[in-house]
Amino acid sequence: MSERPSLEEFTAAARAWLAERYPVAAADTGKRRFVWGEGSDEIRVFAEPDPSSEADAVDAIRAWRAGLWEAGYGWITGPTEYGGAGLPAAYQRAFEQVSRQFDVPGDASLTIGLGMIAPTILQHGTEEQKQRYLPALYRGEKIACQLFSEPGAGSDLASISTRAVRDGDVWRISGQKVWTSGAHLSDIGEIICRTSPEPRHKNLTAFLVDMHAPGVTVRPLRQMTGGAAFNEVFLDDVVVPDTDRLGEVGEGWTIAITTLANERNSLGSSSFGGVGILSTDRLAGLVRHQGLDDDPAVRQQFGEVVSHLRAARYVNEVVGAQARAGRPPGAEIGLSKIALSDNLRRLGDFVSELLGPEVAADTGEWGTYAWSSLVLGAPGFRLGGGTDEILKNTVAQRVLGLPRPS
């Protein structure tokens, strides 16, 4: 795109491109968005597809991204020197709006890579790293994961024990990471390692590690929902070239903060509607199905839940407006993630009261036992992207300016 098209020209061209390749989405064919008892009643906080379905979906997503890249839609706002189109954010929003009118594969398996890792590389990577990784990530050739949490250091990231030792032009990494989303699909991982005995926050260094390198072992973690959306990753003397060090030695804490801010932005952006896994239509349908729509106490509880969901959406709109104005996410982004985990808990409590024993015993009735996945999965969201307690401390100290405890 050597000359910038008008937004109307861009949107028309994008719609034509999509129409040639993908069918119109069901919601755009005049069908109702939600009808109680129709279609799948699956409700999940964390995506837990079976391996076969997941492999098929990843192939489709890679093909989707390759097509987008070829047509100039792969990184609409990205710098042209790294393959982006260099267009304003309004063009990206216009494309997303148009693409929702078609049944496209989407970017589900690329959320971490495109939402967290790529922005971190763009901000902190060397020129060679940007040229090597950014086009590959946006083109769908490479999938990325984040290797931060450890069995003994989740929220207290500065206490990690995975070590990287310099050996000439390479580093040797040994340790264990845990709760790693998408590690089994990933080609590269952004990892934070301890590299010196320096004081906390000054002893960490970030790297980009080849997830297919000798010494990397990925194992699924079984959750109480019954699924395995996360992995544990073992690193046994994994060799990483110094050219894949992300940032300077000892600056890993700064790199991690950038990635976590992007993560909280990605997580919190779905605060309304509970990570997109449900809608107020479905919630209202459950109330009616249980015959409680005339119960004043239930109606008040329903109103409170919906009010909190909408309040979270408005917070996200403020964050979105700041991003469109060119302001990167700051500590206040933690509010969106806190709102999300609070809303998931609130939703879980509400549907548990509505369903009673039906949320724990599968009677085969559509739209009832399916909510158990939300009830069991919601607590996990309090941990992802930093625990709620850590984020509240961060907001208190860095946004409100409150003093640290002595």
Side-chain angles (χ1 to χ4, degrees):
M1 298 183 182
S2 56
E3 295 184 3
R4 178 187 298 185
S6 69
L7 188 57
E8 291 73 20
E9 292 171 338
F10 173 86
T11 304
R15 182 178 287 107
W17 185 85
L18 289 162
E20 288 179 2
R21 292 160 178 80
Y22 297 97
V24 175
D28 232 53
T29 59
K31 295 181 180 178
R32 294 176 60 184
R33 291 177 57 194
F34 172 77
V35 177
W36 183 265
E38 291 187 2
S40 171
D41 67 347
E42 182 177 272
I43 299 170
R44 292 195 180 278
V45 175
F46 303 108
E48 299 167 350
D50 66 80
S52 177
S53 299
E54 185 175 52
D56 291 342
V58 169
D59 288 344
I61 289 170
R62 288 185 188 273
W64 152 251
R65 291 303 311 184
L68 288 177
W69 186 266
E70 184 68 25
Y73 303 123
W75 194 9
I76 293 169
T77 59
T80 54
E81 59 267 37
Y82 307 124
L87 294 172
Y91 287 69
Q92 177 67 43
R93 293 194 296 274
F95 184 82
E96 292 172 355
Q97 186 173 9
V98 171
S99 66
R100 283 195 286 271
Q101 299 169 10
F102 297 88
D103 187 13
V104 300
D107 297 331
S109 299
L110 309 179
T111 301
I112 294 174
L114 300 185
M116 306 174 201
I117 311 302
T120 303
I121 295 174
L122 181 62
Q123 185 169 345
H124 297 285
T126 63
E127 183 63 25
E128 188 274 334
Q129 289 169 346
K130 294 174 186 177
Q131 294 286 354
R132 181 153 50 108
Y133 289 115
L134 293 177
L137 289 168
Y138 282 96
R139 202 161 47 218
E141 289 180 2
K142 290 188 180 298
I143 296 176
C145 63
Q146 175 204 84
L147 299 161
F148 284 12
S149 295
E150 298 184 359
S155 298
D156 187 9
L157 189 60
S159 297
I160 60 171
S161 59
T162 294
R163 293 184 179 277
V165 178
R166 186 78 181 251
D167 183 9
D169 293 334
V170 303
W171 295 78
R172 295 183 178 277
I173 298 177
S174 294
Q176 180 187 355
K177 298 293 181 177
V178 74
W179 304 120
T180 309
S181 304
H184 59 300
L185 303 173
S186 294
D187 304 293
I188 60 173
E190 180 192 336
I191 189 170
I192 304 296
C193 302
R194 184 182 292 244
T195 52
S196 78
E198 295 294 322
R200 284 166 60 89
H201 302 157
K202 299 183 182 300
N203 57 351
L204 306 176
T205 303
F207 300 90
L208 296 169
V209 60
D210 180 356
M211 294 298 290
H212 307 300
V216 177
T217 303
V218 179
R219 297 177 181 170
L221 280 173
R222 189 65 59 186
Q223 304 149 213
M224 64 181 177
T225 59
F230 304 97
N231 304 277
E232 54 184 346
V233 179
F234 297 87
L235 302 111
D236 183 13
D237 199 29
V238 177
V239 175
V240 176
D242 188 56
T243 52
D244 279 341
R245 171 170 42 82
L246 191 55
E248 298 298 323
V249 175
E251 290 189 351
W253 180 254
T254 300
I255 308 294
I257 292 300
T258 298
T259 306
L260 289 173
N262 291 322
E263 179 181 15
R264 289 157 191 164
N265 189 32
S266 298
L267 290 175
S269 64
S270 301
S271 292
F272 181 71
V275 217
I277 60 174
L278 57 92
S279 69
T280 50
D281 288 341
R282 174 170 290 204
L283 197 61
L286 178 64
V287 173
R288 296 190 191 97
H289 177 73
Q290 296 298 101
L292 297 170
D293 44 323
D294 289 328
D295 185 310
V298 170
R299 291 171 69 90
Q300 179 171 340
Q301 288 178 294
F302 177 81
E304 290 175 353
V305 169
V306 172
S307 296
H308 281 285
L309 292 172
R310 292 192 181 280
R313 183 180 66 178
Y314 297 143
V315 171
N316 287 335
E317 289 180 354
V318 171
V319 173
Q322 291 175 338
R324 290 192 291 275
R327 289 181 54 186
E332 69 280 1
I333 196 64
L335 292 170
S336 293
K337 192 270 177 177
I338 293 169
L340 175 57
S341 56
D342 277 350
N343 281 335
L344 289 174
R345 175 196 54 76
R346 192 171 286 110
L347 286 165
D349 292 346
F350 182 56
V351 299
S352 294
E353 287 192 29
L354 291 177
L355 290 166
E358 290 179 277
V359 79
D362 189 359
T363 63
E365 188 176 10
W366 195 97
T368 55
Y369 180 73
W371 290 93
S372 66
S373 181
L374 168 69
V375 174
L376 295 174
F381 238 91
R382 293 188 62 244
L383 307 177
T387 66
D388 289 1
E389 288 76 13
I390 289 290
L391 293 177
K392 287 176 181 177
N393 281 341
T394 301
V395 171
Q397 294 163 8
R398 297 174 57 188
V399 177
L400 301 178
L402 299 180
R404 292 175 179 271
S406 58

